[in-house]
Amino acid sequence: MSGSHDPYWTLARQLVRLQRPAADTLSARRAALARVAAECGATPRTPEGTTVEALAAELAYCADHSGGLAAYLGEFARGFEKTHAWRAVEQLQRQLFTATLVDPHHHRVLCELLESCDQAPRLRTLALRVLHDAGTGPLALEDQGGGRGHADHRNEVAEILAVFDDLAYGWEDEPHPLLVFVETVAVLEDSPLRARMRAWSGQVAAHLGCRSPQRLARLREEVAVRAGRPLSPYRLLVEITARTPVPDHYTVRSWVVPPGPDGTRQYGAPAQLSSRAEMEADVAARYLSCVEDLGELSAGMRVEFLLPRPLLWLPVDQIMARPPDSVPRPIGADHTVLVRSRDRWAKPHWRPLLHERSDLLTSGPDVCFESAAVRVVPYGERLCPEELLRRLRHDREQLGWLFLQPPPYTGGLEPDAVNVLLEMGIPVIVAVREVGERPDAERKTRKVLAGRLMELPERVRMLRGEMGPDSDVFAVLDLHRHLSLVWDGRDGLEGADAALGHPRTGGGLP
């Protein structure tokens, strides 16, 4: 907007009163814009027109970049610094743009984001927490107790930001509490607003103490972990194999896969177990030990089971964990449990097709579980492996399969339809282990699992914790106890062959 109510238009009018020759004014504007481009990362730009409106748009453009308005005015003032006219410009600037920790444009954008966010009723609480962690005395916030209505959010945001603006805080490549506060709010928001808030913090991070992208990324990880929403969760990888001649003799190995480039590391010694009960007790002990060792970093941890084809439908999500001083519950009720195909991981020549379909899945986040990309196999239907292979060679849009009856393993991989799905790179396979023969099983399963395919692991975790939207499913179908989720993709295990290795064990029937 241009006019008397636009602070940039008002400031532009004052700059015009410097009474420079037109040619000198254009030259000064070019030099000022060049300085903003060089110092503030703005796209190079030249003056567009000689009107007050054009100059106002120029000022607003510079304010879009941290420190841009100050750099522009500093260059524009050359030769006029000690004049009465320039003192009038500086006085007007102070009146129009109250001194804030960030430049006026970014301050205004942040106000708008905080006023519209879902966390608006909790902003005072979140700010107090950040200020307390920073070791400051937030008396200005503590004196303002009680809740507020939506109409008061604007005033509350202004009061909160004023406390951060006044905060005397020295740092050496450490984030200012304002940046921590914004990231804390962002991680609690839904994706669209979260992305806008992170875009804001990315623009001002260097000014607020995060002088490198790596430091900002680390701050986001720390804030997300404290909120129980880690951006890149730790993963506990558990491999279970069984000796073919003696199916009840299991080998269990485990690794921790941290976020980032640190690499997979072995967790616990390999174990040889002589019964199903011993195997489950060993897995539960590894899981509880890992949760305790990671502490708060265990928030959002994924537990991934690397299983051979004969054990693919093993109900690993239902292995009971008994945390000290708490209630026993299945592993899958607290943490996301996924199954990975050991056979597919062990065959590098199968990975290109998996990567291709996984890329389709991640590049199309709106693909739904109930869409044509997911094929449902009704109870009792048997698939022909040869026909399935021919179809999937040419159908690269297929991303998931739902089996209302898990295809049994009959002793070989060659005539096995599930093996074809793995070879052809299908990244998502869901099997209903025991209740698929019920006439309402397909309808209820589709209803409970409906939604974005990329969010399926989280929905299955909620279902296993009996937090789904359809309570009669728990009472009738017990779906929360009978779902296997095979989920594969580009997730960092490629290249971990040396760490994982392969014991000389084959299959075995569960």
Side-chain angles (χ1 to χ4, degrees), residues 296-311:
E296 66 176 14
L297 295 177
S298 67
M301 181 182 76
R302 279 171 34 186
V303 186
E304 303 178 6
F305 286 88
L306 194 61
L307 304 179
R309 172 63 184 92
L311 303 181

Side-chain angles (χ1 to χ4, degrees), residues 102-117 123 157 161 164-165 178-179 181-183 185 196-197 200-201 204 208:
V102 294
D103 64 58
H105 169 74
H106 286 107
H107 190 273
R108 185 171 62 255
V109 170
L110 179 58
C111 287
E112 293 171 356
L113 291 172
L114 293 175
E115 289 164 12
S116 62
C117 71
L123 289 179
V157 167
L161 293 186
F164 285 104
D165 286 334
L178 175 62
L179 192 61
F181 172 64
V182 173
E183 288 294 336
V185 176
R196 292 174 58 197
M197 298 189 79
W200 182 92
S201 63
V204 303
L208 295 180

Side-chain angles (χ1 to χ4, degrees), residues 30-237:
R30 290 192 192 95
L33 287 170
R35 179 174 171 180
V36 173
E39 296 183 4
C40 307
T43 304
R45 175 172 171 159
T46 58
E48 299 178 0
T50 58
T51 64
V52 174
E53 286 76 12
L55 180 56
E58 205 167 278
L59 295 173
Y61 170 78
C62 293
D64 283 343
H65 302 82
S66 183
L69 186 59
Y72 182 96
L73 293 176
E75 185 64 31
F76 192 90
R78 286 186 182 275
F80 282 78
E81 295 94 331
K82 297 181 180 180
T83 65
H84 291 292
W86 187 255
R87 292 195 186 101
V89 171
E90 292 179 323
Q91 183 178 4
L92 179 61
Q93 181 191 3
R94 287 192 294 270
Q95 292 173 352
L96 293 173
F97 306 109
T98 304
T100 57
L101 192 63
V102 294
D103 64 58
H105 169 74
H106 286 107
H107 190 273
R108 185 171 62 255
V109 170
L110 179 58
C111 287
E112 293 171 356
L113 291 172
L114 293 175
E115 289 164 12
S116 62
C117 71
D118 292 338
Q119 301 304 314
R122 300 181 56 209
L123 289 179
R124 186 176 297 274
T125 301
L126 294 173
L128 282 169
R129 185 186 307 165
V130 171
L131 291 166
H132 178 270
D133 291 343
T136 64
L139 298 179
L141 291 182
E142 289 179 337
D143 290 341
Q144 302 287 336
R148 296 187 176 217
H150 180 75
D152 294 323
H153 289 330
R154 175 173 297 181
N155 292 334
E156 184 168 40
V157 167
E159 292 169 3
I160 290 171
L161 293 186
V163 172
F164 285 104
D165 286 334
D166 293 339
L167 192 60
Y169 191 80
W171 63 87
E172 183 62 37
D173 198 29
E174 285 298 321
H176 189 280
L178 175 62
L179 192 61
V180 180
F181 172 64
V182 173
E183 288 294 336
T184 299
V185 176
V187 78
L188 298 173
E189 290 296 315
D190 290 332
S191 297
L193 192 57
R194 182 190 309 152
R196 292 174 58 197
M197 298 189 79
R198 286 183 175 157
W200 182 92
S201 63
Q203 293 168 1
V204 303
H207 179 67
L208 295 180
C210 281
R211 310 189 194 286
S212 68
Q214 294 78 13
R215 184 62 188 92
L216 179 59
R218 190 162 77 250
L219 168 64
R220 288 175 173 169
E221 287 284 359
E222 294 166 354
V223 169
V225 165
R226 286 197 292 270
R229 297 185 177 190
L231 305 179
S232 301
Y234 274 76
R235 294 150 59 195
L236 175 63
L237 180 65

Side-chain angles (χ1 to χ4, degrees), residues 476-493:
V476 179
L477 295 183
D478 280 348
L479 275 181
H480 59 301
R481 295 194 183 99
H482 300 306
L483 279 184
S484 284
L485 175 57
V486 179
W487 184 278
D488 266 318
R490 293 181 183 270
D491 52 13
L493 286 188

Side-chain angles (χ1 to χ4, degrees), residues 386-403:
E386 293 79 12
E387 176 60 30
L388 187 59
L389 180 63
R390 284 194 296 270
R391 185 194 315 169
L392 290 178
R393 274 176 176 159
H394 304 289
D395 183 1
R396 298 299 175 86
E397 305 297 319
Q398 201 75 50
L399 301 177
W401 285 66
L402 168 61
F403 289 96

